[in-house]
Amino acid sequence: MGRGWPKGAWRAVGGAVGGAGPGGSGPGRRAGPPGPGPGPGPDAFRDRRGPSRAGPGQAMATSERSALLTYRLCGGSAEEERGRERGRAAAAPRKLPTFLGVVVPTLLSMFSVVLFLRLGFVVGHAGLYQALAMFAVAYFIIGMTVLSVCAIATNGALDAGGAYYMISRALGPEFGGSIGIMFFLANVCGSALYVLGLVEAVVDSFGIPPGQEAGTGVHVLPQSYWYELLYGTVLLALCLLVCLVGASIYAKATFLIFLIVAAVLGTVLVSFFATRPLKVPIHLPSSNGTETDNGFFTGFSLNTLRDNLGGEYRVDYTTGQMMSFSSVFAVMFNGCTGIMAGSNMSGDLKRPSYSIPRGTISAVLFTYLVYNLLAFLMCATCNRVLLQKDYGFLRDISIFPPLVTVGIYAATLSAAMSNLIGASRILYALARDDLFGRSLALAKKTSASGNPVMAVILSWLVVQVVLFSGKLNTIASVVTIFFLLVYATVNLACLALEWASAPNFRPTFRYFTWHTCLLGIAGCCVMMFLISPVSASASLGFLLLLLLALHYLSPSSTWGYISQALIFHQVRKYLLMLDVRKDHVKFWRPQMLLMVQNPRGSARLIDFVNDLKKSGLYVLGHVELQDLDMLPSDPLQPQQDSWLSLVDKLNVKAFVSLTLAPSVRHGVRQLLFTSGLGGMRPNTLVLGFYDDEAPQDGLARHPAFTSAREEVPLGFPPLRAPTTPKLLSAREYVGIVADALKMLRNVLLARQLESLDKAWELRRAASPPPTIHVWPVNLLRPDSARYADTCSLFLLQMACVLNMARAWRRARLRLFLCVEAGTMPHAQEEKLRQLLKDLRIQAQIQLVPWDAITRLHWQTCQRTPGGPAEEEEEEEGVVNFPTNTTQVSDEYVCAANKLVLEQSPAPAVRFLYLPRPPADTSLYPLYLHQLELLTRGLGPTVLVHGVSAVTSTQL
């Protein structure tokens, strides 16, 4: 018994229309009366989750909670905590305020290597003007990104993961997971970069000078690639120990470091004014041992400022490479990549949505002012040799050099720790979301306090690998491109949310527009390719591979997909532009409504109609025979997921439309009236045939299910037993056909399509290729046989459309021209051939004598009371029902059936003319009986009646 759902709601009977034939394509299904059910228990108000489905006799619990009140980031649903690891992390209290959690990490990440070790390098090569231009470009890019970060961060609750969490919840798992990996790599490489910068500073202070075998005083550390790798490993291990302790200790350590860096920065600013001019000897390694050069601190000098205004790019003495604007910009931009340091700590902040905007903007503005001020002071006091060749010159000109040394160590160590802990938080968030399956399962493990210790250790291992690159300037461009790519995607996420116009996108931070997002994206992309086209292309290619892998391999999520919001926005706009008053026959396409009673017996019919739609609308319709007044809730909602899963499994491009009705006929009327939207409405109704054959379960034999591990049912009930009465009478079935024609809908009746093995038919290597037989003459009305009326041309068009489908292109059309003696058959054939030529249809015409058939008709013909038979007349958009209908004998119909059956070789499928139902409803059973005789034993057959003018000879 289900919760508030009748026990018999999933019990159904039937085969073809109304449960009659083998196709199982009947539109209706009747359920039992409402059961007593216990009513909605305490679980009835839980949200439905992921892959869970309501099974037989069980209803899906309906949520009474408003989605507008339970949204999290970007309007997503309020997810339950997933797993014990997530529960422990959620139980850990959030402790960090704005200043400690955002401002301090951001300032220290930006005031690291570039401020103390590379700002002179930037100004020395680029000059003051170009350096200021670099700062303007860099801060323009990060300024636009900060606005986007603030908008997303203030639109809902943030969790651990920072930028990854923002992007994944905004753009969906594919973009989120791929960008999460890229951001993880950016933080990993950034941490390695800062460690290498720290090694450089340590070796500069305590290393043995080049060319000397033994050091003197404090210069005791050997210098070589392997020794520097060893120093980096030791320093990275120190960072690891701090990060393993947890975010609180990290925050305390960074605050202490912040105080040191602030004191050093104050000392440096004072030193520019207090230090007297001096000569600084510079010892550089060369091929001959050691080369000594002299740099000069001139104090404030107009000549020094004038000499440093323009750019003068030279060879970098650490890498031996010629510098340029792009290579210097790549090094400089690493001083701007710390803007996400506060966002990475989102899981440890007291109020992430409050702290991230205020803290990040404050830190960015402060660093921009400091960088510009220091650039001017350097250009006005230091000559170019000192700036270009002495990365640690700030220590040489300081009034208290040991404090500057300590500041450099502290700033670079803090930046390395910041990137390491940021990388670990991103890795932990990726693992917790299960986007990469078991490959990241180890990273889920946390300590008792919620610190993701395994993610920290894994991040440390990757940083250790990156340290093998050896030099800071070597990986600077790679780090910059990674961060630019992440920043571009953050802007893209905000742009998508803004363009989607979702009502739940209501950030409290309003100082952004789609223009700022677009400018941020453009700036990031331009600078990426200016820095290194090869690295930028490789990064984008790697991002694309990750995106495709996640798209096909990652499990479905409940975060919400921004693509769906954007598609809705665009589809609504274009549907409004699709004006039915501008329809023209040249651009007509079939728009199908296939009524399906039970998909178990209709799998091949669903696939066949998918080939017939020719890029048109395709709707799978289903009628549930129930009364909503007698039910506690809508019984169709639990079924919707099963039908959508069926569409996915069968790989058909179809919509699903389900309805409740007291009878199948009323339900089909509802769907014909209401299916579709605007200019996209069904113009053709497709029904399975009504006969006495027992339905066969074709779903279990379908390749989409025979190769799958999951169970076949998908929540659909068993097929109707042969002894079970049908839910649809013959009169009601013919009434559905008549209703569709009254509503100016074309009608297709499909018989024995479940016996069509399309794959086998189209793979046959035998010659000739498979054929499609077309009979564009009304075989039940030989007295009114015409080949160029609306119905015949529609039949011919449908056969041609099937032949145009990719799977049916090998098939050949055979058009049968029924001729009588004395009617100049060759002239009729030539006329028909000319018509096919005008319609650009390639088909073989075969003459079929049917004198004996027509003679049998006239001999046995009987007329209904009321006078002679009248031909039905059809004009475009107008249907006239005959008041008197010619009746043909069963003997004649059997002869016509034999005539069709004798045409060899047997085709893959036949298209026959479907006569209009008689105006007298009492003749409906006879009409259906004769259709059954006409198509008996023919194999896959489609009876077609068209009321639309669908062919055109115009350009």
Side-chain angles (χ1 to χ4, degrees):
M1 299 292 288
R3 298 187 183 99
W5 166 257
K7 179 178 180 181
W10 282 92
R11 188 178 66 246
V13 292
V17 178
S25 56
R29 184 168 88 224
R30 185 184 302 278
D43 294 334
F45 302 103
R46 292 181 182 172
D47 294 352
R48 279 193 294 134
R49 295 290 169 215
S52 62
R53 300 284 185 268
Q58 182 180 9
M60 302 291 272
T62 56
S63 173
E64 299 291 336
R65 185 177 303 164
S66 170
L68 292 175
L69 300 178
T70 59
Y71 80 96
R72 289 175 70 86
L73 180 68
C74 307
S77 62
E79 299 182 24
E80 296 178 357
E81 297 298 331
R82 222 183 317 170
R84 294 183 179 178
E85 295 84 359
R86 189 167 188 174
R88 286 200 301 268
R94 296 184 174 190
K95 303 176 182 179
L96 302 181
T98 302
F99 185 74
L100 286 179
V102 181
V103 176
V104 171
T106 304
L107 285 176
L108 290 179
S109 294
M110 302 179 77
F111 281 165
S112 54
V113 171
V114 172
L115 178 67
F116 294 112
L117 295 178
R118 287 298 186 271
L119 189 56
F121 163 85
V122 172
V123 175
H125 284 280
L128 180 61
Y129 291 153
Q130 293 188 37
L132 295 179
M134 288 181 184
F135 289 130
V137 172
Y139 274 84
F140 173 79
I141 292 173
I142 67 171
M144 299 299 101
T145 305
V146 165
L147 296 180
S148 299
V149 169
C150 294
I152 298 176
T154 58
N155 188 54
L158 275 177
D159 206 339
Y164 159 72
Y165 190 86
M166 297 178 188
I167 295 171
S168 62
R169 269 52 177 184
L171 298 183
E174 295 96 340
F175 269 101
S178 54
I179 289 298
I181 290 294
M182 301 300 287
F183 197 29
F184 168 75
L185 293 176
N187 278 273
V188 162
C189 293
S191 181
L193 180 141
Y194 297 131
V195 170
L196 291 174
L198 180 56
V199 170
E200 185 178 291
V202 170
V203 170
D204 190 41
S205 300
F206 302 104
I208 299 174
Q212 298 183 14
E213 295 182 359
T216 58
V218 296
H219 300 281
V220 295
L221 296 180
Q223 295 189 49
S224 70
Y225 169 81
W226 292 107
Y227 274 113
E228 291 178 4
L229 179 62
L230 175 63
Y231 305 151
T233 301
V234 173
L235 294 171
L236 182 60
L238 177 62
C239 297
L240 173 65
L241 292 177
V242 175
C243 294
L244 284 176
V245 175
S248 297
I249 300 299
Y250 164 74
K252 294 176 182 178
T254 54
F255 181 66
L256 178 61
I257 293 173
F258 173 74
L259 294 178
I260 298 173
V261 171
V264 172
L265 185 59
T267 302
V268 168
L269 291 174
V270 172
S271 298
F272 281 109
F273 296 91
T275 303
R276 294 183 178 182
L278 57 86
K279 180 175 69 173
V280 180
I282 305 171
H283 303 285
L284 301 175
S286 67
S287 57
N288 297 324
T290 304
E291 177 182 329
T292 302
D293 203 346
N294 294 316
F296 293 90
F297 177 78
T298 63
F300 286 96
S301 169
L302 186 60
N303 290 332
T304 303
L305 178 62
R306 188 181 298 113
D307 291 340
N308 290 329
L309 290 179
E312 188 176 327
Y313 296 99
R314 295 181 180 177
V315 176
D316 174 30
Y317 74 87
T318 61
T319 62
Q321 297 179 353
M322 185 66 186
M323 294 293 99
S324 63
F325 181 90
S326 60
S327 59
V328 172
F329 179 86
V331 175
M332 184 278 304
F333 193 80
N334 285 282
C336 309
T337 56
I339 62 171
M340 308 297 276
S343 302
N344 292 341
M345 300 296 295
S346 58
D348 302 297
L349 297 173
K350 286 183 179 178
R351 293 185 295 170
S353 297
Y354 174 88
S355 299
I356 290 175
R358 289 163 176 79
T360 304
I361 292 176
S362 301
V364 167
L365 290 177
F366 182 72
T367 57
Y368 180 68
L369 294 175
V370 170
Y371 276 135
N372 282 274
L373 176 60
L374 286 178
F376 174 77
L377 294 176
M378 290 176 181
C379 285
T381 59
C382 303
N383 76 336
R384 197 176 293 271
V385 174
L386 181 63
L387 295 174
Q388 289 182 343
K389 297 185 177 182
D390 187 1
Y391 291 161
F393 76 96
L394 290 177
R395 180 181 58 252
D396 299 328
I397 67 172
S398 174
I399 57 176
F400 189 52
L403 182 60
V404 176
T405 301
V406 172
I408 293 174
Y409 296 166
T412 50
L413 187 64
S414 171
M417 286 191 296
S418 175
N419 278 264
L420 179 60
I421 201 169
S424 66
R425 293 301 190 269
I426 296 167
L427 186 63
Y428 172 65
L430 285 166
R432 194 180 61 186
D433 287 335
D434 288 325
L435 295 183
F436 295 89
R438 298 182 179 179
S439 58
L440 295 180
L442 189 63
K444 294 181 183 180
K445 298 184 181 299
T446 62
S447 64
S449 62
N451 186 34
V453 290
M454 292 308 301
V456 173
I457 294 174
L458 291 174
S459 302
W460 166 74
L461 288 174
V462 181
V463 175
Q464 183 63 56
V465 172
V466 179
L467 286 180
F468 282 91
S469 60
K471 292 296 181 182
L472 185 153
N473 288 2
T474 304
I475 61 173
S477 60
V478 176
V479 176
T480 298
I481 287 175
F482 276 149
F483 275 107
L484 283 172
L485 190 58
V486 172
Y487 295 164
T489 313
V490 171
N491 285 296
L492 177 63
C494 189
L495 177 68
L497 289 169
E498 178 71 8
W499 276 355
S501 301
N504 277 331
F505 185 57
R506 298 189 298 270
T508 56
F509 182 86
R510 296 301 305 165
Y511 300 101
F512 79 100
T513 66
W514 66 268
H515 303 86
T516 61
C517 303
L518 204 58
L519 288 173
I521 295 172
C524 291
C525 294
V526 169
M527 292 313 302
M528 279 173 56
F529 283 93
L530 283 180
I531 291 170
S532 175
V534 175
S535 299
S537 301
S539 300
L540 289 173
F542 181 57
L543 175 65
L544 182 61
L545 287 177
L546 285 174
L547 194 148
L548 292 175
L550 286 173
H551 177 74
Y552 289 106
L553 301 178
S554 67
S556 60
S557 72
T558 58
W559 306 338
Y561 295 77
I562 190 63
S563 58
Q564 296 299 303
L566 290 172
I567 290 170
F568 177 88
H569 186 270
Q570 293 301 108
V571 166
R572 180 194 63 85
K573 181 173 70 175
Y574 286 116
L575 275 176
L576 291 172
M577 297 170 61
L578 189 60
D579 192 346
V580 294
R581 296 169 295 182
K582 297 179 181 179
D583 283 348
H584 194 278
V585 65
K586 290 188 298 185
F587 308 113
W588 179 91
R589 66 182 71 237
Q591 305 199 71
M592 304 293 198
L593 171 60
L594 170 62
M595 299 306 304
V596 180
Q597 185 271 330
N598 190 336
R600 287 179 175 275
S602 309
R604 288 181 175 173
L605 176 58
I606 293 172
D607 184 64
F608 178 80
V609 178
N610 186 62
D611 292 333
L612 270 179
K613 70 180 187 306
K614 187 55 180 174
S615 302
L617 178 67
Y618 184 18
V619 180
L620 298 180
H622 173 73
V623 180
E624 190 79 20
L625 301 183
Q626 295 193 63
D627 185 357
L628 191 59
D629 291 337
M630 305 298 294
L631 299 171
S633 62
D634 181 8
L636 299 179
Q637 291 301 320
Q639 301 182 34
Q640 191 77 21
D641 285 348
S642 295
W643 284 87
L644 293 177
S645 298
L646 173 75
V647 169
D648 293 338
K649 281 290 185 182
L650 294 181
N651 195 26
V652 295
K653 298 177 181 179
F655 298 94
V656 174
S657 186
L658 312 179
T659 188
L660 288 177
S663 70
V664 175
R665 186 172 182 180
H666 283 86
V668 176
R669 283 179 184 172
Q670 291 177 19
L671 293 177
L672 285 173
F673 277 123
T674 61
S675 293
L677 196 63
M680 295 189 67
R681 293 183 179 277
N683 57 28
T684 303
L685 174 66
V686 185
L687 302 173
F689 198 76
Y690 189 97
D691 55 24
D692 295 325
E693 295 184 27
Q696 302 295 324
D697 192 343
L699 204 60
R701 301 190 304 271
H702 196 278
F705 294 92
T706 55
S707 60
R709 294 182 179 178
E710 65 180 72
E711 296 182 1
V712 173
L714 289 176
F716 298 115
L719 289 172
R720 173 183 64 86
T723 58
T724 305
K726 304 172 185 176
L727 298 178
L728 188 65
S729 67
R731 188 182 301 272
E732 188 178 7
Y733 175 81
V734 180
I736 293 174
V737 176
D739 290 343
L741 295 178
K742 289 179 183 178
M743 299 166 68
L744 299 182
R745 302 299 203 276
N746 311 297
V747 176
L748 274 62
L749 304 183
R751 185 173 191 185
Q752 293 187 350
L753 261 297
E754 289 305 302
S755 65
L756 172 63
D757 189 347
K758 184 178 71 173
W760 181 83
E761 288 284 353
L762 302 179
R763 281 199 308 263
R764 287 191 304 174
S767 183
T771 57
I772 300 172
H773 285 190
V774 183
W775 293 80
V777 64
N778 188 350
L779 294 174
L780 295 187
R781 294 285 302 277
D783 54 332
S784 61
R786 291 178 295 177
Y787 287 92
D789 64 2
T790 300
C791 185
S792 297
L793 293 177
F794 179 84
L795 185 150
L796 186 60
Q797 179 82 331
M798 295 309 299
C800 181
V801 166
L802 180 66
N803 193 210
M804 294 170 69
R806 178 177 301 177
W808 290 87
R809 287 177 184 170
R810 285 191 62 248
R812 297 292 180 263
L813 291 181
R814 292 183 66 190
L815 185 61
F816 293 93
L817 177 61
C818 297
V819 296
E820 299 180 59
T823 58
M824 296 185 294
H826 294 291
Q828 295 183 37
E829 180 182 3
E830 188 60 32
K831 184 177 179 180
L832 183 57
R833 196 178 302 280
Q834 183 61 41
L835 175 63
L836 295 177
K837 182 179 179 181
D838 293 340
L839 297 177
R840 290 90 60 203
I841 297 176
Q842 296 183 357
Q844 174 191 355
I845 299 177
Q846 181 171 336
L847 301 182
V848 179
W850 71 331
D851 298 80
I853 308 297
T854 56
R855 190 179 308 113
L856 182 64
H857 165 65
W858 293 116
Q859 290 175 355
T860 60
C861 177
Q862 298 178 355
R863 299 184 183 275
T864 58
E870 299 179 6
E871 293 184 1
E872 51 179 297
E873 299 177 0
E874 297 183 9
E875 299 176 2
E876 183 176 353
V878 178
V879 179
N880 299 318
F881 285 84
T883 56
N884 303 293
T885 304
T886 301
Q887 297 182 22
V888 292
S889 65
D890 289 353
E891 183 182 2
Y892 164 78
V893 177
C894 291
N897 169 265
K898 183 178 179 182
L899 176 69
V900 174
L901 193 58
E902 287 175 347
Q903 309 306 316
S904 59
V909 64
R910 290 181 172 90
F911 284 84
L912 300 184
Y913 191 116
L914 173 66
R916 176 182 299 281
D920 187 354
T921 58
S922 64
L923 297 177
Y924 280 0
L926 176 61
Y927 168 80
L928 186 58
H929 169 68
Q930 293 187 338
L931 288 181
E932 193 279 328
L933 289 179
L934 179 64
T935 57
R936 182 178 295 176
L938 295 184
T941 305
V942 182
L943 291 162
V944 180
H945 191 99
V947 297
S948 304
V950 296
T951 56
S952 174
T953 59
Q954 303 177 17
L955 290 176

